[in-house]
Amino acid sequence: SSSGRGSLLTRGGITLRVLLKDGLVEPGNGVLTIHYLGKNFVGDLLTDGKIRWVETGQIFNSPSAWATHCKRLVNPAKKSGCGWASVRYRGQKLAQYKTTWLHKYQPSADMSLVSEEDEDEDEEEGKTAMQADEKLKNNKPGLHGAKLLSLLNVMVPRRADRERVPVRYCSLGTRDATRDPHTLVELSAFSAINFQPFNVAVSSNVLLLMDFHCHLTSSEVVGYLGGRWDTNTQLLTVLRAFPCRTRLADKDAASAVEEEICQNLFMRGLSLVGWYHSHPRGPALPSLQDIDSQMDHQLKLQGSNNGFQPCLGIICGPYYHGNQGVASTITPFWVVPPPEQRPNDYGIPVAVEVTYVQDNFLTSDVLNEMMMLVDYYRAAPDLIHFSQYWCPDTTMLDKIKGSLSCHAPKDQAYSQILEHVYSQLGN
């Protein structure tokens, strides 16, 4: 018969279409779910046995294809989805519906065949899903004018800096609601966990503008990173920083600021590729709050592109006295999902290897942004007093000049241009 009852079916031959025909499941919106490493995905079961992912409307031919795609968004090293064990229909694993079908229609079937064949199916479906992802990525235009990550409403002002001793990731264990979210965590190396699944190149003008922004105030600041993602070379190029000229958690100003940045990304033909923030007087290491924010941003940015796209996080520590010399510590980082067998652990913060590219000259865009930042913070109570001393023989103005010189363009005329900016900092 069309349902396959006429001949002996192994579990690998039982599909959603078979379950639909025999009335074990019914089509419906939002009836399928995946919960993976703290992230939830919802799908519609269609009348032909296919799955429509609610977030994007993308159609998948099987549970394994959908599970593989979703899991790779969270963990790009994932090769297969274990779909029938991962996807739930109205809260119950689909694998249970296979077992029910076999008991009902083929009670003599050899149940010992099951696990091997499900794994084989997942392996094949995983390959199919990855091939489809590659095709999508190769044909899809750049992500222009993307929805931003809502940094200003997610990030909350940090407490006044105090000496905080970073902890090792291995000492954290399972999530603990009583643990201080501002606890700093040492970075792991990608090589200790896996391989770095992408390459990164960052423009020196990005570093210069970001470092300048972080030096202006004793409060924490945030900004966005614009650039391009090349799926063929797996290279993320960060070409522009977009400082947020507003206070953290200022919901009244947040939407206008982020809309302006979104328009700037669109006009320059750039995609949203990450974010940065400062730890003004502390180590440039992620806190537990930063780790959770980065995980959320990674998933949001990847989900909007129907495939893997990295989201780079950068932390800048301008005034930490543990830095070497006057240069700020700048830390690019990423977060690897916790092990599947420990889904309630924190994500693992890892140091990202980056190639820094020296720009030929300081662009007018960057110079204009610097002047607008000066105007924004000029009357702020937390503006740094640049005439004061950072250490016995170095003023705050000397400190910022020395740090920014580390990101100098090839054209040395930049130093005369910046003197005009520095003259506006006199206070």
Coordinates of all heavy atoms in Angstrom, one line a residue, residues 34 69 219 390 401:
I34 N 12.5 22.1 18.1 CA 13.9 21.6 18.5 C 14.4 22.4 19.6 O 14.3 23.7 19.5 CB 14.8 21.7 17.3 CG1 14.4 20.8 16.1 CG2 16.3 21.3 17.7 CD1 15.2 21.0 14.8
H69 N 20.4 21.7 10.0 CA 20.6 23.1 9.7 C 20.5 23.9 10.9 O 21.4 24.8 11.1 CB 19.4 23.5 8.7 CG 19.4 24.9 8.4 ND1 20.2 25.4 7.3 CD2 18.8 26.0 8.9 CE1 20.0 26.7 7.2 NE2 19.1 27.1 8.2
S219 N 32.5 55.6 31.5 CA 31.4 54.6 31.4 C 31.6 53.6 30.2 O 32.4 53.9 29.3 CB 30.1 55.3 31.2 OG 29.8 56.2 32.3
W390 N 47.3 59.9 33.9 CA 46.9 58.5 33.9 C 47.9 57.7 34.8 O 47.6 56.8 35.5 CB 46.9 57.9 32.5 CG 46.6 56.5 32.4 CD1 45.4 55.8 32.8 CD2 47.5 55.4 31.9 NE1 45.5 54.5 32.6 CE2 46.8 54.2 32.0 CE3 48.8 55.4 31.4 CZ2 47.3 53.0 31.7 CZ3 49.3 54.2 31.1 CH2 48.6 53.0 31.2
K401 N 46.7 59.5 22.7 CA 47.5 59.7 21.5 C 48.4 58.5 21.3 O 48.6 58.0 20.2 CB 48.4 61.0 21.7 CG 47.7 62.3 21.5 CD 48.7 63.4 21.7 CE 48.0 64.8 21.4 NZ 49.0 65.9 21.5

